[in-house]
Amino acid sequence: MKLTWKDGVATAIAALVVAVYVLFLSGADVVLVSSVRGAATAILLLGVIGCGYGAADELYKAPKSAAKLTYTVIATTLGIAALGGGLIALIFASEVGLAVLFGVTVALWSLATTRHITNTCRAPQVTGDVSELRKEETSL
């Protein structure tokens, strides 16, 4: 599978997440990211938007192979960890919670992008006698 424009948008959002966290760590006097809660809010919102562009919904729609099921479990676990870290950062103004939120958000982006690059989707193969298929088409 090749990368699409949605992967480009998700990558730009991931870059914004990195920028927010770097601004927070550097102590920049930026209105939204100068506090733990502000940075956590920004990263959570960017993460939710990025998740929409990362096409996570496709994981829950179709039947799953063993590899897809494993990926789904890993992505879901990471998503729960990101939410937990974000809530801890928001409620307790915890820098550790913010670090967890940041790390897991970047890991989710990395995992999704890697899956999109390495996923090999092939068209269904026709098996059997093709003439039988042609007969069915003409009879319809």
Side-chain angles (χ1 to χ4, degrees), residues 5-120:
W5 67 271
K6 287 184 174 186
D7 293 301
V9 172
T11 300
I13 291 170
L16 287 173
V17 167
V18 171
V20 165
Y21 192 64
V22 167
L23 284 171
F24 170 77
L25 288 179
S26 68
D29 191 21
V30 179
V31 175
L32 185 61
V33 298
S34 60
S35 70
V36 172
R37 289 185 174 109
T41 301
I43 292 174
L44 277 169
L45 289 175
L46 288 168
V48 167
I49 294 167
C51 185
Y53 284 102
D57 62 333
E58 72 187 37
L59 295 174
Y60 302 99
K61 289 182 180 177
K64 295 172 188 57
S65 64
K68 194 172 186 180
L69 182 60
T70 301
Y71 176 82
T72 303
V73 169
I74 291 170
T76 301
T77 303
L78 288 175
I80 291 168
L83 181 61
L87 289 175
I88 289 169
L90 287 174
I91 294 168
F92 301 109
S94 168
E95 288 188 24
V96 173
L98 180 61
V100 168
L101 171 62
F102 168 73
V104 173
T105 302
V106 171
L108 277 167
W109 165 80
S110 177
L111 186 66
T113 303
T114 302
R115 184 180 70 86
H116 291 165
I117 291 170
T118 60
N119 189 14
T120 55

